[in-house]
């Protein structure tokens, strides 16, 4: 079956996708949102790739080095075996900070025999918009384009450069390497140096992963998801990307294709909440600084999303020369959704600020700025909570009073009250508590539909929506409240299809959704768990985990029929929700062990 059987490598500056056969099919340099060097994933003919090709007798297997972002692809015909260790260097520098150059190292490790392979090296700079020419120089191979703008990329290797560029057979007798870099190197790389880079990078990831606690259940899945979320964080500014790709379609052949290489306040805040729960507080601190830096004026409204370098204008364009993933056009860069109003982002951001203050209040350097931000958000929510918006699913048609947006406006004020208590700002508490109560009463009055016996997508609507399952997670309603239980049941009856969830079933701007939004299924599993259906929840969870790719990675969507992964990849949303579910099951296991020991 066709699937997104890719591994991600990266160094918190950029990332690359490598297929299960060892082909480098997607990479943007020097940063996540730069134009592509390889984009075969978006056009098999002209996108460009860097492939390692072997004869028919070889089997190819792929795995991650445990607890790291080093991807190992093993080629073997029984007698002749070698491995490709792919990574982007990242490690601590002696003088402080990180070494994270815009480079990919493909370390070729000789295991046995005399394996033979060919390199198919075919970079297509600037999204393959024009001709890329490749030249063999004395110390390196350089590829350049003058198409839309001038750009270059450099390849260093221990192998014969002409044999690499011409795709001739290479016999492997000892370890070797390829280094693909955005910049020309001052000091020539050697196999020994590249081995050192590999070991240093391995140690960095092992140290980082060691901060994640060990869990009795689903420990491997939690660890892999945590590393994946870290790979989607941008060290320079603290931004967190929604995914590493653009225009991988929600449904093959349709037009729901978006660029996800940006920082959505909602997605990023949810990621930060989960990552800091696992003990990785530096990621959270950098993200909060990213938010503080974005809001210079106290009454400035937050956009729903920003560029990873804090850009506020993300003009959407289409790249019509690319055929798209499996022929799914258009390929888009930029994202017009940045202009939308989505009132839920304030609550989600306030929730993460509160969580950081509650956990690390003695260690928060920017407390005054966070208090200023809190007051500013309350002011904005008080002024705008009664207005309609585009909602969490970014409907591009008319604005509506979405239940999820209203609940998150309530969350914004609820968390602001809690933050006021932390900072002992008692004068604000009474005023804000009244507003919190007013919003709650409005939601209970207008979003409950007695005919469907559930909270619905928007005020006055009969349509169900998976996002209302988060009412319980954010503390708006208790899990055992009959209204929440009946909402979970109604969503199961209406939106569940063979264990996978629709976001909603009403038509949107592009018709009826035909794939499952992965995070919604995780939300549903969490809700089943919370209302007491724990065994059923775990069955659903195990089934959903079986739909991941060969490395345990998830994209944004899953096809209802074939169960293939669809949408941008890997998706931060999916992995943060996987961790949340797994933590619930693990905690339950721990509680049962404690109860057994007490008995």
């Amino acid at each position: 079956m066709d699937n997104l059987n890719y591994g991600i490598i990266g160094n918190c500056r950029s990332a690359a996708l490598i297929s299960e056969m060892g082909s480098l099919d997607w990479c943007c340099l020097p940063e996540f949102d730069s134009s592509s060097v390889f984009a075969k994933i978006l056009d098999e003919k002209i996108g460009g790739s860097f492939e390692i090709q072997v004869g028919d007798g070889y089997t190819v297997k792929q795995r991650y080095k445990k607890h790291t972002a080093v991807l190992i692809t093993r080629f073997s015909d029984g007698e002749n075996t070698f491995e490709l260790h792919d990574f982007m260097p990242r490690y601590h520098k002696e003088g402080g900070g990180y070494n994270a150059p815009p480079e990919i190292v493909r370390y070729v490790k000789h295991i046995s025999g005399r394996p033979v392979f060919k390199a198919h090296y075919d970079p297509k700079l600037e999204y393959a918009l024009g001709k890329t020419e490749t030249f063999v120089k004395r110390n390196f191979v350089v590829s350049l384009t003058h198409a839309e703008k001038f750009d270059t990329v450099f390849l260093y290797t221990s192998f014969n450069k002409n044999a690499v560029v011409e795709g001739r057979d290479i016999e492997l007798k000892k370890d070797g390497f390829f280094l693909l870099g955005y910049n020309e190197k001052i000091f020539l790389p050697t196999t020994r140096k590249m081995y050192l880079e590999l070991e240093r990078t391995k140690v960095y990831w092992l140290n980082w992963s060691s901060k994640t606690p060990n869990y009795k259940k689903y420990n491997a899945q939690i660890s892999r998801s945590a590393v994946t979320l870290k790979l989607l964080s941008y060290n320079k500014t603290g931004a967190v990307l929604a995914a590493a790709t653009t225009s991988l379609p929600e449904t093959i052949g349709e037009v729901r294709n978006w660029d996800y290489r940006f920082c959505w306040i909602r997605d990023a805040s949810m990621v930060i909440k989960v990552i800091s729960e696992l003990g990785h507080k530096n990621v959270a601190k950098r993200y909060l600084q990213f938010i503080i830096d974005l809001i210079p004026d106290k009454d400035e409204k937050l956009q729903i999303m920003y560029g990873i370098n804090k850009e506020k204008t993300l003009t959407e364009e289409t790249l019509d020369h690319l055929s798209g993933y499996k022929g799914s056009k258009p390929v888009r860069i930029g994202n017009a959704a940045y202009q939308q109003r989505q009132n839920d982002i304030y609550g989600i951001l306030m929730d993460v600020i509160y969580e950081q203050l509650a956990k690390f209040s003695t260690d928060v350097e920017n407390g005054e700025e966070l208090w200023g931000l809190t007051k500013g958000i309350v002011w904005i929510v008080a002024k705008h909570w009664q207005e309609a918006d585009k909602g969490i699913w970014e409907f591009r048609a008319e604005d509506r009073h979405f239940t999820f947006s209203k609940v998150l406006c309530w969350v914004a004020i609820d968390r602001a009250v809690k933050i006021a208590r932390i900072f002992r700002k008692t004068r604000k508490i009474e005023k804000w508590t009244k507003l919190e109560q007013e919003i709650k009463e409005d939601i209970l009055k207008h979003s409950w539909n007695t005919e469907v016996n559930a909270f619905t997508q928007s005020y006055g609507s009969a349509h169900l929506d998976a996002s209302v399952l988060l009412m319980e997670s954010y503390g708006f309603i208790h899990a055992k409240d009959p209204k929440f239980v009946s909402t979970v049941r109604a969503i199961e009856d209406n939106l569940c299809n063979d264990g996978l969830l629709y976001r909603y079933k009403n038509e949107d701007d592009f018709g009826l959704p035909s794939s499952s939004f992965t995070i919604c299924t995780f939300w549903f599993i969490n809700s089943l768990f919370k209302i007491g259906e724990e065994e059923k929840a775990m069955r659903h969870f195990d089934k959903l985990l079986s739909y991941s790719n060969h490395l345990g990675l998830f994209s944004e969507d899953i096809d209802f029929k074939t169960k293939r992964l669809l949408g941008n990849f890997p998706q931060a949303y999916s992995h943060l929700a996987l961790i949340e579910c797994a933590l619930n099951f693990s905690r339950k296991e721990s509680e049962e062990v404690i109860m057994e020991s007490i008995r």
Side-chain angles (χ1 to χ4, degrees), residues 265 269 287 291 302 345-353 377:
I265 298 298
S269 298
Y287 174 67
I291 297 296
L302 268 176
I345 61 170
Y346 298 107
I348 285 166
L349 182 57
M350 285 302 299
D351 184 53
V352 84
I353 291 172
I377 286 176

Side-chain angles (χ1 to χ4, degrees), residues 247 259 314-320 330-336:
S247 301
D259 192 345
L314 309 173
T315 309
E316 191 173 296
E317 303 169 43
T318 59
L319 300 176
D320 297 326
V331 171
R332 304 178 205 258
I333 52 172
N335 198 310

